[in-house]
């Protein structure tokens, strides 16, 4: 069956998913169903059970009527296989508190706290008598006041006191052990001594090194009163520089999600890349109009979105946003208009295929829940009052959708979420994020120019935090 074009096709009025049972949308739904079923298993099935399920799923794919069930079964099998592989890549409890020298590579931008560095460390293979996990989360405590010079791509020999990836029991709030599993961290380590090795891993230095350069430039050039922690959070998704009072204020007002690089922020980066390239190409005769101009500008928007998402370390929300941007750009180039709900479904399927562990994090549910609420509100062509009230109703829809998700994941909600987000979402989107993005773009040209943009973003963020503080005081 062919997918209908546009939003005004006959019989499309009403709910955004109405009438969408076309073949093209059955497969994303089946993939999403299968991948979301994997975290529901309390124990991993035996290998023979998985083989039997895979064979039944392949047989089901032979018939049109049962094909979605077969696709869902295959997606479930692939997800469970990856769960089993990751469950086996964990440090055994028998090696808890073992102190061993481990050589390897720093593979993340270090999170910097007072007296503490934390970073992802990938050991070399076959170096000690027992098998190490693929990735270790290293904590490096220091007392001298000067943090060790650690950067992504560097190679070190670290004497580590190892621990399995266990977390303290926490009856309210995040589950640290689930977070470690979802991020592929199979062990914890505390540095006892360290020695830097010569050479770097160039691929990591190219990506994470840029994030480190941005982080250091922000810390070096912005004073404390310009909220460098907020700027870092929105530039490279590093929240380690946020003060505890700021964290608590954002939690109290239900606005903590705004300092995660979200789909809205990635969309702004894509729009900036799209229109900037359009401005540069329009004077060229070959790109003044037509499909060639649309293809070039759409590619520029997608590359800008991916570049910003890479600075954010490609988290779930940014990955989903890049996929959504790709869907939109393909629609622009092909002159087709896929239904927004179908685009969201395809984005969810793509995210789960790339990262089947995404549902283990709250960001997946917050991200798709918020976008789904907005689609349910805006996609139907119905009236909900005057245009001035539509942002209020839309924010109310998002807030009401996220309240049960927040309660389920963190055991708390905020009564101030609706008024605080009505103020904070447009403020961050138009007064904070654009100058932060401009500072990143200006950094290769001039540190001074980048600092000017970041200072504007930091001052805007400081004004917002002051207003949120007044709101919380009520």
């Amino acid at each position: 069956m062919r997918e209908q074009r546009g939003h005004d096709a006959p019989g499309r009025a009403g709910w955004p998913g109405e009438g969408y049972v076309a073949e093209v949308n059955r497969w994303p739904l089946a993939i999403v169903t299968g991948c979301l079923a994997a975290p529901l298993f309390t124990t991993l099935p035996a290998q023979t059970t998985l083989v039997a399920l895979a064979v039944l799923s392949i047989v089901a794919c032979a018939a049109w009527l049962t094909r979605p069930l077969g696709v869902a079964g295959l997606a479930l099998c692939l997800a469970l296989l990856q769960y089993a592989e990751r469950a086996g890549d964990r440090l055994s409890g028998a090696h808890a508190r073992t102190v061993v020298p481990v050589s390897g590579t720093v593979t993340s931008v270090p999170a910097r706290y007072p007296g503490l560095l934390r970073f992802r460390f990938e050991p070399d293979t076959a170096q000690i008598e027992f098998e190490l996990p693929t990735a270790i989360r290293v904590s490096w405590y220091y007392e001298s006041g000067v943090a060790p010079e650690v950067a992504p791509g560097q190679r070190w020999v670290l004497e580590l006191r190892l621990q399995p990836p266990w977390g303290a029991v926490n009856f309210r709030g995040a589950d640290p052990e689930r977070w470690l599993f979802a991020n592929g961290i199979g062990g914890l380590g505390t540095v006892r001594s360290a020695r830097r090795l010569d050479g770097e891993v160039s691929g990591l230095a190219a990506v994470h090194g840029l994030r480190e350069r941005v982080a250091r430039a922000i810390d070096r050039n912005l004073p404390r009163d310009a909220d460098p922690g907020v700027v870092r959070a929105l530039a490279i998704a590093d929240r380690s520089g946020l003060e505890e009072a700021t964290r608590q204020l954002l939690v109290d007002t239900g606005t903590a999600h705004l300092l995660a690089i979200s789909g809205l922020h990635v969309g702004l980066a894509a729009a900036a890349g799209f229109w900037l390239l359009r401005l540069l190409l329009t004077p060229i005769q070959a790109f003044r109009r037509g499909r060639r101009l649309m293809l070039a500008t759409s590619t520029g928007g997608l590359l800008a979105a991916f570049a910003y998402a890479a600075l954010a370390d490609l988290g779930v929300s940014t990955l989903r946003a890049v996929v959504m941007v790709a869907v939109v750009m393909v629609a622009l180039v092909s002159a087709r208009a896929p239904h927004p709900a179908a685009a969201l479904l395809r984005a969810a399927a793509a995210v789960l295929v790339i990262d089947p562990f995404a549902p283990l994090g709250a960001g997946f549910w917050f991200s798709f829940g918020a976008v789904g609420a907005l689609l349910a509100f805006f996609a139907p062509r119905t009236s909900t009052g005057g245009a001035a009230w539509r942002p209020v109703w839309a924010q109310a829809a998002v807030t009401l959708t996220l309240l049960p998700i927040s309660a389920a994941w963190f055991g708390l909600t905020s009564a101030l979420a609706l008024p605080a987000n009505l103020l904070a979402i447009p403020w961050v989107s138009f007064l904070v994020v654009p100058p932060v993005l401009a500072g990143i773009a200006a950094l290769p040209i001039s540190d001074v120019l980048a600092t000017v943009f970041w200072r504007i973003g930091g001052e805007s963020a400081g004004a917002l935090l002051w207003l949120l503080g007044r709101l919380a005081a009520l």
Side-chain angles (χ1 to χ4, degrees), residues 9-33:
R12 185 70 61 81
W15 176 254
E18 187 177 345
Y20 253 70
V21 292
E23 184 85 6
V24 70
N25 290 318
R26 298 172 75 203
W27 314 135
L29 180 61
I31 292 171
V32 169
T33 302

Side-chain angles (χ1 to χ4, degrees), residues 85-397:
E85 181 181 2
R86 183 160 291 186
D89 186 31
R90 288 157 60 92
L91 185 71
S92 168
H95 304 300
R97 299 182 178 85
T98 303
V99 178
V100 292
V102 180
S103 64
T105 307
V106 179
T107 57
S108 73
V109 175
R112 303 177 186 277
Y113 305 93
L116 170 65
L117 291 180
R118 278 208 173 104
F119 52 89
R120 184 186 181 99
F121 188 72
E122 295 189 3
D124 299 332
T125 57
Q127 54 182 272
I128 56 178
E129 61 272 12
F130 58 89
E131 188 174 354
L132 291 171
T134 303
I136 299 174
R137 191 189 191 200
V138 171
S139 299
W140 190 337
Y141 295 90
Y142 58 94
E143 299 178 353
S144 62
V146 179
E149 293 291 329
V150 179
Q154 291 179 351
R155 292 184 46 76
W156 289 79
V157 175
L158 303 177
E159 187 180 35
L160 297 177
R161 182 177 184 268
L162 298 174
Q163 287 283 4
W166 297 336
V169 175
N170 187 5
F171 294 103
R172 195 182 87 171
D175 183 338
E177 190 166 346
R178 179 168 53 194
W179 183 89
L180 293 169
F181 181 83
N183 286 274
I185 297 174
L188 308 176
T190 304
V191 175
R192 294 295 185 87
S193 64
R195 176 169 56 88
R196 170 85 184 274
L197 297 176
D198 293 333
E200 291 188 353
V201 179
S202 59
L204 289 172
V207 179
H208 290 297
L210 178 59
R211 300 182 71 224
E212 178 74 4
R213 181 186 173 191
V214 172
R216 289 182 179 275
I218 292 171
D219 291 342
R220 181 176 63 250
N221 297 323
L222 286 188
R224 292 185 62 86
D225 61 353
D227 287 294
V230 174
V231 175
R232 278 179 61 180
L234 291 173
I236 60 169
D238 178 10
R239 296 195 190 193
S240 63
L242 292 176
E243 297 181 357
E244 189 58 37
T246 300
R247 295 174 185 269
Q248 191 59 49
L249 175 62
L250 295 172
V251 170
D252 291 343
T253 55
T255 55
H257 63 94
L258 291 176
L259 292 192
I261 296 181
S262 67
L264 177 60
H265 305 153
V266 175
L268 290 172
F274 182 94
W275 288 108
L276 179 60
L277 197 58
R278 191 181 188 94
L279 182 65
L280 295 175
L281 292 178
T282 299
I284 303 175
Q285 182 67 32
F287 290 98
R288 284 192 175 177
R289 62 178 63 86
R291 193 180 190 88
R292 188 177 299 174
L293 176 62
M294 184 59 69
L295 178 61
T297 52
S298 297
T299 303
L302 182 58
L303 290 176
F306 184 81
Y308 186 40
L311 282 176
D313 212 15
L314 281 178
V316 173
S317 60
T318 52
L319 181 62
R320 186 264 307 164
V322 170
V323 174
M324 288 291 289
V325 168
V327 170
V328 171
M329 296 306 176
V330 170
L332 289 175
V333 172
S334 62
R336 294 182 64 87
H339 194 280
L344 183 66
L345 186 62
R346 296 172 198 175
V351 169
L352 290 171
V353 168
I354 295 171
D355 182 13
F357 307 100
L360 298 177
F364 175 86
W365 302 99
F366 277 102
S367 178
F368 282 95
V371 176
L374 290 174
L375 288 181
F377 181 81
F378 281 113
R381 297 183 178 274
T382 56
S383 175
T384 54
W389 286 98
R390 286 183 67 80
V392 178
W393 291 116
Q395 186 56 53

